[in-house]
Each structure stands twice: as structure tokens, then as C-alpha cells.
Amino acid sequence: MLADNGQQVDYIETQVAFEEYCRSWLASPVIALDTEFVRTNTFYPKLGLLQIADENQCYLIDPLKITNWDCFVAVLLNPVREIVLHSGGEDLITLLMVLGQLPETFFDTQIASAYAGLGFSKSYQALVQEITGRNLPKDQTRSDWLKRPLSESQLKYAADDVCYLLPIFRELNARLGERNYIGFLKEDAKAQVENTKLCEQSKYWELAYTGVSNSWRLNNRALACLQRLCAWRERQARKKDLPRSWIAKDSDLLVIAQLVREQRNLNMRELHGCAVSESALVRKNGEEIIRLVNSPPDFSLINRSLLTLPLSASLRAMIKGFRETVQRHAKQMDIAPELLARKKQIVAVAQEMERGSNLIWPPELRGWRGDRLAIDFLEVASNFDSKGFIGDGNEPLRTKF
């Protein structure tokens, strides 16, 4: 079988052949990588096919036949080898689950295309069309990649999904080199790798409550309860390998937390009488929920500054000023504004400014982004205090990273 670009496609389904190819990839300065997985009823993606492309051909590896991944881990961890992905977020999660390891960095063609001025969040098919002129089908996007045998159309689709990544990489790498943006891309990739690892650390699960809408309305006792329930859900979703919403919906946990606003214990009758009484959550986990809810609250685990509050008029005005600043800088750089700073990140900066006089960057804006935006953000923020302006005019605003 040939891929759309004319490369030979090899299907690998034995450990011996896989290790032989890994030795050849160890000598390759760059390889492209893609994954096909299923994640319809599980928390973690289930790898159904691993696709590799080098300068010579494409390779489709059946992960259900591979018993030892050590040789491929060596390929990924070699720091002198470039790993090329497109929109690599899900691929990183899948690789971490299968291999337990991730490359230190990688070249993401979707992010690179944004730095090249080709648009934000561009699909692989659109990028192939833009750079090579080829029109690839999307007919197997929702295919069952765990079913065997895989059809010829599935294998052709999988090969086409990786075969153009190296030509695209060469083109985008040259464009970013001309713009001096390669360092920015590498910084973003390293941050994405670290964030993928962080999401599987228990300390990250302890912050899950901050993403629940209207959690700011709870008093401290109820918020501490919500924090404990959300952390429990994170552990259960991973332990049972089920989607979070299958364990408990945000709205269910919020209703339960609201029952403990006062300093008293909750009983099963009250739990069954709440708005989630028909939910499988209570039927399956009622006793565990009672134990969690009635445990002494640990207020050290909650931080109200991390909650999403309603935006005041003055805060909305500050956010507007920040967004205009971002748009101006993005235009100067010839990149999409979302690549420089997204709305959620801008709101987080403004909320920190409303709480005090320091400019505190969220992790996504640290590095070159914060360096570029700091002076203009401070100028915008200096015009606002509690009545629409921040600061007393006597103490200069500062940047904190």
C-alpha cells in the first residue's frame, strides 16, 4: 500500500519487526508521529494505532501486538531527534499512558502554522491543502481503531494522517526561522509536555474545584466540601477509567456541597432528598459521599483567588484594554491574537490586578509573552482602581512571574 504522497506503507505487528525499525529511527534526525485512539467511554484514550513517518516511508504499528515499548521510548527521549506532531495534546496524553514517558519537546505543526501567520488552530487537512495542495478525506475520523482487523480504508487514512508531516515541518521550520519564532514554539512545546505530566499528579487534582461554575457562591465550609468531592471524582475517574461526567457532574457536586453550608453533618435522608436523588451518583456512592462530606473541612486546600468571579464594570473595562493590547502586538507579530494570549488568561491577569497592585502572569503567559506584554499591561492597569482605577497613585505597579 502507498500513502497519498507515494511513500511505501509498512504494517508492523510483531515485536521483532518493531524493534528493528526502532533501531533505524534512532539514526533518523527527525520523525513524524501520530496516534489513532478511542476515547468514547473511558477517561484515558485507548491507543489503536501508532503511525510513524521518516524521510523514506510510513509505518503503521499495531499497539495491541507490542509487548515492550522500551526501544521506542529510547527513540522519543533522544534529545537530538526532532519529533513532529500535529495538534499534539491528545497524542501526548496517549503516549504518556502507554509509555510512561514523553519527549522533552516536539515540533507541533498546528502551533507552528499559527506562528507562521497561517491561522490559529488550523486542521491537518487544511494545512496539507495550504502547503502541498493535496486534499485529504476525513472519512475515518470516528472510526473504531481498536477493532481488528483494520480495514484497508482505515490503514490508508492513518498513513495519510502522518505522511505529509515532514514536508510541512520543513516548510514551517524555514518560515519560523525567518521570523525568529522557533524559540517561541519550543517554549510552548516544553510547557505543553510539562502540563501533560502535571495533569496526572495528585496535587493538580486538588484544584479541580476551581473549574466548577458558581463555586464562588459557596461559603468556606461548602467550598472545602466541594474541593474534597472534586478531588475524589478525579481519583475515581482514573481508577475506574471512566469519563468524569460518568462519575459525577459538576452540578451534582455543587448541589451536595451547598447542603453543608452550616456546621452540621449530612445524613443519607438529606442526600437522597437533594436535587441529585435520581442520579446514579447517590445510588452507587452515597455512603462514600456522606463520609467525604462529613469529614472535617480542610480550609488550607481552598483558595478563593482561583475561583472565577462575575466581572465588574471596571474589570470588564480593564480586560478590554488588555485585549486591545494583545491584538495590537499580535498584528505587529503577524500572528493570531489567541496565540499570544487567550481571553481566559487575560481575565486571570485582570482579576489579579483587581486584588492588588502586582501584575501576576498565569503559567501560560510567562516567558516571552509576559516579557512582551508587561509594559503595556501595566500602563492599562495603572488607570484603574476600585472605582474604576487600581492603585493609589503613589506606588508603582510591578510585574511578578
Side-chain angles (χ1 to χ4, degrees), residues 211-218 223 226 254 258 261 307-308 310:
V212 177
S213 297
N214 292 317
S215 56
W216 62 273
R217 296 179 180 274
L218 302 176
L223 187 61
L226 179 66
L254 186 66
Q258 288 171 331
R261 290 181 178 181
L307 304 180
T308 302

Side-chain angles (χ1 to χ4, degrees), residues 37-160:
F37 56 86
V38 176
R39 200 180 189 179
T40 55
N41 57 4
T42 60
F43 183 84
Y44 292 114
K46 302 299 181 185
L47 182 62
L49 197 67
L50 174 66
Q51 304 106 282
I52 302 290
D54 58 21
E55 298 291 357
N56 301 313
Q57 64 183 80
C58 295
Y59 312 85
L60 306 181
I61 299 98
D62 185 346
L64 306 185
K65 301 292 182 65
I66 303 303
T67 57
N68 189 316
W69 292 91
D70 290 349
C71 57
F72 189 65
V73 170
V75 174
L76 285 187
L77 297 187
N78 188 335
V80 301
R81 178 169 302 97
E82 191 79 71
I83 305 295
V84 181
L85 303 169
H86 181 84
S87 186
E90 292 275 18
D91 296 313
L92 291 180
I93 296 172
T94 305
L95 291 174
L96 183 61
M97 293 305 102
V98 173
L99 308 177
Q101 297 279 357
L102 290 176
E104 181 181 342
T105 186
F106 63 100
F107 189 102
D108 192 315
T109 55
Q110 185 178 70
I111 301 175
S113 68
Y115 277 117
L118 300 181
F120 186 73
S121 196
K122 204 174 189 74
S123 71
Y124 173 71
Q125 285 81 6
L127 195 53
V128 170
Q129 174 71 34
E130 174 93 19
I131 292 180
T132 72
R134 299 293 297 178
N135 186 19
L136 295 179
K138 305 178 184 179
D139 57 313
Q140 298 292 332
T141 302
R142 298 187 180 278
S143 185
D144 184 357
W145 295 100
L146 296 176
K147 186 179 179 180
R148 293 296 184 271
L150 294 172
S151 67
E152 185 174 346
S153 60
Q154 283 179 301
L155 297 176
K156 179 69 163 57
Y157 172 89
D160 292 348

Side-chain angles (χ1 to χ4, degrees), residues 40-42 241-249 280-281 284-285:
T40 55
N41 57 4
T42 60
D241 196 17
L242 293 173
R244 285 185 187 88
S245 61
W246 289 25
I247 303 297
K249 296 181 175 62
L281 170 65
K284 295 179 179 180
N285 305 283

Side-chain angles (χ1 to χ4, degrees), residues 271-314:
L271 184 60
H272 280 289
C274 73
V276 295
S277 59
E278 298 303 319
S279 169
L281 170 65
V282 175
R283 296 197 305 273
K284 295 179 179 180
N285 305 283
E287 292 185 2
E288 177 69 5
I289 291 172
I290 288 292
R291 184 189 67 79
L292 292 167
V293 168
N294 291 338
S295 298
D298 187 347
F299 299 119
S300 68
L301 295 177
I302 61 175
N303 183 350
R304 287 193 168 275
S305 69
L306 300 177
L307 304 180
T308 302
L309 301 174
L311 303 179
S312 64
S314 62

Side-chain angles (χ1 to χ4, degrees), residues 149-207:
L150 294 172
S151 67
E152 185 174 346
S153 60
Q154 283 179 301
L155 297 176
K156 179 69 163 57
Y157 172 89
D160 292 348
D161 236 13
V162 74
C163 72
Y164 285 109
L165 279 179
L166 291 189
I168 290 172
F169 157 73
R170 289 191 290 269
E171 174 66 24
L172 293 179
N173 193 51
R175 295 191 189 191
L176 267 59
E178 294 173 357
R179 291 176 165 224
N180 294 319
Y181 288 169
I182 290 178
F184 297 162
L185 178 69
K186 291 295 185 181
E187 192 175 306
D188 290 353
K190 286 183 178 181
Q192 190 169 9
V193 168
E194 291 306 311
N195 187 62
T196 302
K197 295 177 181 177
L198 177 63
C199 289
E200 289 308 307
Q201 297 178 16
S202 59
K203 65 180 181 180
Y204 177 83
W205 311 341
E206 301 296 325
L207 298 175

